[in-house]
């Protein structure tokens, strides 16, 4: 009987270790996505988003993404730039930042990034970025009239439903409900 409990304890420990340990999954794809405005229902801009990197979330969704996540004219599309995003988003809106080729962390237009587990669908909050003459960088996200991106080329109403689904249970969910 003692051997049974030892074997059971070892088995449970292995299962917990597998569930808690992050497993790096390589992501390499180009996805069509559409940018929308919270206030202008007619605003819709199509983007091809390049995603190349590693998602290291564990079974419970804790981990991070590190790699390329950019559209053609974004600062992140420049050689050597990397986006880092931490998961899950729970009590904050911000979970993403860029790393400049000089290895310095820097704010960029991607404010929040929330992909599904397979990276088939994602929602992104975009912030405004302005570089000042003195070298300072000012970023801001307006919760009333900001912009967001949802993967695919969905009509705005369906994109809001998808964004609600992806943000369910996070601090981002209220941004997409009742719109």
């Amino acid at each position: 009987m003692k051997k049974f409990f030892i074997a059971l304890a070892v088995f449970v420990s292995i299962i917990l270790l597998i569930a808690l340990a992050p497993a790096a999954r390589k992501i390499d794809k180009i996805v069509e996505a559409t940018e929308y405005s919270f206030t202008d229902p007619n605003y819709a801009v199509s983007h091809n988003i390049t995603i190349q990197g590693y998602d290291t979330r564990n079974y419970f969704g804790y981990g991070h993404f590190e790699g390329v996540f950019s559209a053609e004219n974004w600062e992140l599309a420049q050689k050597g730039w990397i986006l880092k995003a931490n998961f899950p988003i729970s009590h904050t809106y911000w979970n993403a930042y860029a790393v400049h080729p000089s290895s310095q962390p820097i704010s960029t237009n991607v404010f929040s990034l929330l992909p599904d587990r397979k990276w088939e669908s994602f929602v992104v909050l975009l912030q405004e970025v302005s570089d000042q003459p003195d070298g300072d960088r000012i970023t801001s996200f307006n919760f009333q009239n900001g912009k967001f991106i949802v993967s695919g080329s969905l009509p705005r109403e369906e994109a809001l439903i998808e964004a609600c689904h992806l943000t369910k249970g996070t601090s981002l969910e209220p941004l997409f409900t009742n719109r």
Side-chain angles (χ1 to χ4, degrees):
M1 191 68 155
K2 186 176 181 180
K3 289 181 182 181
F4 171 76
F5 285 116
I6 291 172
L8 182 62
V10 169
F11 177 74
V12 168
S13 298
I14 290 171
I15 295 299
L16 280 173
L17 182 63
I18 291 170
L20 294 174
R25 290 178 297 127
K26 185 175 183 175
I27 311 299
D28 188 3
K29 54 176 65 180
I30 296 174
V31 179
E32 184 180 357
T34 307
E35 179 180 338
Y36 304 94
S37 169
F38 281 117
T39 55
D40 182 357
N42 296 319
Y43 182 85
V45 176
S46 182
H47 296 282
N48 285 323
I49 306 289
T50 300
I51 308 167
Q52 296 173 323
Y54 290 91
D55 182 336
T56 61
R57 288 181 280 180
N58 66 16
Y59 178 78
F60 298 106
Y62 290 88
H64 67 277
F65 169 79
E66 183 173 329
V68 173
F69 186 93
S70 68
E72 184 178 335
N73 294 321
W74 291 4
E75 183 174 58
L76 288 168
Q78 298 175 52
K79 185 177 179 170
W81 284 73
I82 295 172
L83 181 79
K84 292 188 178 190
N86 296 311
F87 307 113
I89 297 175
S90 56
H91 304 305
T92 182
Y93 296 108
W94 171 73
N95 79 324
Y97 64 94
V99 177
H100 185 271
S102 67
S103 299
Q104 178 180 350
I106 190 167
S107 294
T108 189
N109 56 340
V110 177
F111 184 53
S112 296
L113 168 63
L114 191 57
D116 68 0
R117 178 87 63 204
K118 296 180 181 179
W119 286 81
E120 293 173 356
S121 186
F122 57 81
V123 63
V124 175
L125 293 181
L126 296 175
Q127 64 183 348
E128 296 293 322
V129 178
S130 62
D131 291 321
Q132 303 301 303
D134 63 0
D136 285 346
R137 173 168 276 212
I138 297 175
T139 58
S140 64
F141 178 77
N142 186 320
F143 296 101
Q144 297 302 317
N145 61 6
K147 294 184 177 153
F148 64 98
I149 294 177
V150 176
S151 54
S153 57
L154 302 170
R156 186 174 191 277
E157 295 76 27
E158 290 179 31
L160 286 169
I161 291 168
E162 181 65 17
C164 282
H165 172 73
L166 288 167
T167 60
K168 187 168 183 68
T170 71
S171 59
L172 301 178
E173 183 178 14
L175 294 174
F176 298 99
T177 56
N178 303 320
R179 291 250 178 209

